[in-house]
Amino acid sequence: MFNLPMETAWAFLPWPILWLGLALYMYFKLKKEDHWEDTIVKKEKGED
Amino acid sequence: MSSDAIVFIIYLLALLFVGLYFSRKASKSADQYLLGGRNVGPAVTALTMQSTSMSGYMFMGGPALAFQQGWYALWYALGDAGGAIVNLSVLGKRMRRMSEILGALSPIEYLEKRYESGAVRIIGSVISIIFLFAYVFAQFIASGKALESLTGLPYTWALIIGVGVIIAYTVTGGYLAVVWTDFIQGIIMVVGVVGIAILGFSKLGGLSGLNERLGQMDASYLSIWGKDLAYIGQWGVVLGAVLIYSIGYMGLPHVVVRHMSMKSTKTVKSAIMYAATWNQLFVFAPYLLGLMAIVLIPNLSDPEMVIPTLAYEFFPGIMAAILLSAVMAAIMSTSDSILMQTGTILSRDIYQRFIDKNASQNKMVLVSRLCILAAGVIGVIVAIYQPPSVFTLVIFAFGVLGNSFMVPYITSVYSKKSNSIGVLCAMIGGGTTNILWTSMDLQTITAIHPFLAGLVISILGMVIGNKFGSAPSQPIQDAFEKSKGDRRIPRSIDKNISRDLSPEARNISKFIQANQPIKG
């Protein structure tokens, strides 16, 4: 792959995709948490 | 005047303008001057965090390592590319909440208030001032070197002009000027380095073409173990190289303060996406340029000048001018943040804590400005008279700060029972281990990276020290619980509760039905 030895290609090339995948996972996880926190705050204020 | 000089002067004037623009806002209170009123949005948080983290090392030390070792250097880039994601995910929300509950304006004050110990603040201040100074000296020297080689000015004058601009906008505009200039510099850095990388790849036939040429010159350039397989089998070194930049940022006071200044905890999720995207675009490119230099300029005498030489020899004109600004942007965005943090620690953690506890807001802003100015002037004098090896100093200072503070910051929001004895053991043990490991060159004997060694000792220090100190007070334990935020009950427990309660609910409804009064 890209004229690299297999060992080097597998060690280095997947990382940008893995980091972006982790970032996306964290984005949706935190978005869910924010939504949950907003619901709690609204309930505490008696808006629901 | 040449086009690159004009572009560069416009760039410096723009930075000064940002400093002036924020000067009035910064003068309102110590909170505004030192933390920007805790009102920084996601894009600026992400880019200031990243441009602060990526110092002049990325344009000089990183490419030099790739030029000397080939693909092995990419181990450092791997961790670096995810550093911000890890940092924001682990500390972001909790540290933002905790710092506001504690009313901390500096990352060292935060540690004192969380661990309820004046000794933590004194030792923390001493470690951070020494190593932040070392870090900023290295940046100043890099700034002088870069300007000297790129403009032809004498080193001393280049240093004074470059650092003079940094001090001017930092002193006048405070934290807001620093984060907004960092935001602009972050964009310049990525445009400069990606632009040159695209031009470089087009010259060499893409990544495949580059690797083919490298393989023809010396196949070991393509190995994960370095040129001539110098690091073969040394997993302790490789692990340390990956860890230092993936988790080490959580121990740098001038980086973790970005968590404290975010607008709200909701800033974190978008900041992660901005930082992750910026990182994937930026982090790998300087190392790849180092690899290109092996093919394009194999006889380069000073490996640290890989990027400027590539720019001026192969892509002169406007691209070279943008790149000069990008190199200076990387140096300046790190220097201003360190200067700001050094000034904050001197004014808030030393002056206000030990000299004048009742200092007014105006006095604190003035003292902070004077401390930043003094730190900058001392930095310039040292950089003029004692220029040591730039990037050895950066890695050393980075490693010591990371090993001293990373474990204390993480346990401050993840371990309720962690206490002052534990944090003192972690700070002193981790930092001292890194200093000894580096100065005695124990990496060569043990094949273990100094950062990895310091990390292990810091964790052990925290675990063992916690057994001896007393548990934190109730208000701190309450603050710890609040810093976790409102938490949803895990689905498994929720399911069990419903299952446990359902027979009871059924019986209650049967009871009510059976005992209803007969009507009519």
Side-chain angles (χ1 to χ4, degrees), chain B residues 97-353:
Chain B
R97 282 197 197 99
M98 180 71 100
S99 69
E100 195 165 18
I101 296 167
L102 298 175
L105 292 184
S106 92
I108 303 300
E109 181 187 4
Y110 169 89
L111 287 179
E112 184 200 17
K113 288 185 168 169
R114 163 62 182 86
Y115 292 107
E116 303 173 289
S117 161
V120 169
R121 194 166 191 170
I122 295 169
I123 293 172
S125 299
V126 170
I127 296 173
S128 42
I129 285 174
I130 292 172
F131 290 96
L132 284 176
F133 261 118
Y135 209 137
V136 86
F137 294 156
Q139 299 305 314
F140 285 0
I141 294 161
S143 149
K145 266 183 150 184
L147 273 180
E148 180 190 28
S149 64
L150 297 167
T151 62
L153 280 168
Y155 171 77
T156 308
W157 280 108
L159 186 75
I160 290 169
I161 291 170
V163 178
V165 172
I166 302 170
I167 295 173
Y169 74 73
T170 308
V171 168
T172 50
Y175 189 80
L176 279 176
V178 168
V179 296
W180 275 98
T181 50
D182 285 358
F183 176 74
I184 299 166
Q185 286 160 333
I187 293 168
I188 295 171
M189 282 160 72
V190 84
V191 168
V193 86
V194 170
I196 294 287
I198 290 170
L199 290 174
F201 277 128
S202 65
K203 222 175 182 61
L204 289 166
L207 190 57
S208 303
L210 168 67
N211 291 328
E212 192 183 342
R213 302 271 291 273
L214 284 174
Q216 285 163 0
M217 291 172 80
D218 183 341
S220 68
Y221 277 131
L222 302 177
S223 160
I224 59 170
W225 301 115
K227 187 165 186 295
D228 303 327
L229 308 180
Y231 297 95
I232 192 159
Q234 295 188 20
W235 284 108
V237 177
V238 166
L239 187 59
V242 175
L243 286 178
I244 188 169
Y245 294 131
S246 56
I247 61 172
Y249 291 120
M250 290 188 283
L252 302 191
H254 58 289
V255 176
V256 294
V257 74
R258 267 64 186 159
H259 301 304
M260 295 164 63
S261 68
M262 282 188 290
K263 199 170 191 173
S264 76
T265 51
K266 289 178 185 165
T267 307
V268 177
K269 61 179 183 304
S270 305
I272 287 178
M273 285 313 295
Y274 284 118
T277 311
W278 188 91
N279 270 9
Q280 309 318 308
L281 286 172
F282 177 80
V283 171
F284 296 96
Y287 292 92
L288 293 173
L289 287 171
L291 297 178
M292 289 177 200
I294 300 173
V295 177
L296 295 172
I297 36 174
N299 300 319
L300 183 70
S301 57
D302 182 359
E304 286 187 356
M305 298 313 289
V306 158
I307 288 188
T309 313
L310 269 179
Y312 276 88
E313 280 196 16
F314 293 92
F315 322 107
I318 199 75
M319 270 319 288
I322 293 172
L323 200 77
L324 163 64
S325 303
V327 174
M328 287 306 293
I331 295 168
M332 292 169 111
S333 56
T334 305
S335 306
D336 58 12
S337 303
I338 300 174
L339 266 187
M340 187 72 215
Q341 217 35 243
T342 313
T344 305
I345 292 166
L346 285 171
S347 61
R348 180 86 178 168
D349 298 317
I350 294 178
Y351 178 79
Q352 193 177 25
R353 176 72 169 80

Side-chain angles (χ1 to χ4, degrees), chain B residues 15-27 33 165-175 177 365 369 372:
Chain B
L15 296 181
L16 288 172
F17 173 77
V18 174
L20 277 176
Y21 179 79
F22 285 109
S23 63
R24 189 181 287 180
K25 212 170 185 179
S27 305
Y33 189 77
V165 172
I166 302 170
I167 295 173
Y169 74 73
T170 308
V171 168
T172 50
Y175 189 80
V365 173
R369 283 185 160 143
I372 293 168

Side-chain angles (χ1 to χ4, degrees), chain A residues 25-40:
Chain A
Y25 169 76
M26 287 310 300
Y27 176 82
F28 287 111
K29 182 177 179 286
L30 294 175
K31 195 174 173 186
K32 211 171 163 184
E33 277 181 26
D34 287 346
H35 180 70
W36 168 254
E37 284 164 16
D38 280 347
T39 315
I40 298 271

Side-chain angles (χ1 to χ4, degrees), chain A residues 1-19, chain B residues 71 74-75 78 207 211 222-225 235 238 242 284:
Chain A
M1 209 184 300
F2 296 108
N3 286 331
L4 279 171
M6 284 311 278
E7 188 184 38
T8 310
W10 280 108
F12 294 133
L13 299 182
W15 282 92
I17 297 156
L18 292 176
W19 285 127
Chain B
W71 273 85
L74 270 286
W75 284 121
L78 292 193
L207 190 57
N211 291 328
L222 302 177
S223 160
I224 59 170
W225 301 115
W235 284 108
V238 166
V242 175
F284 296 96

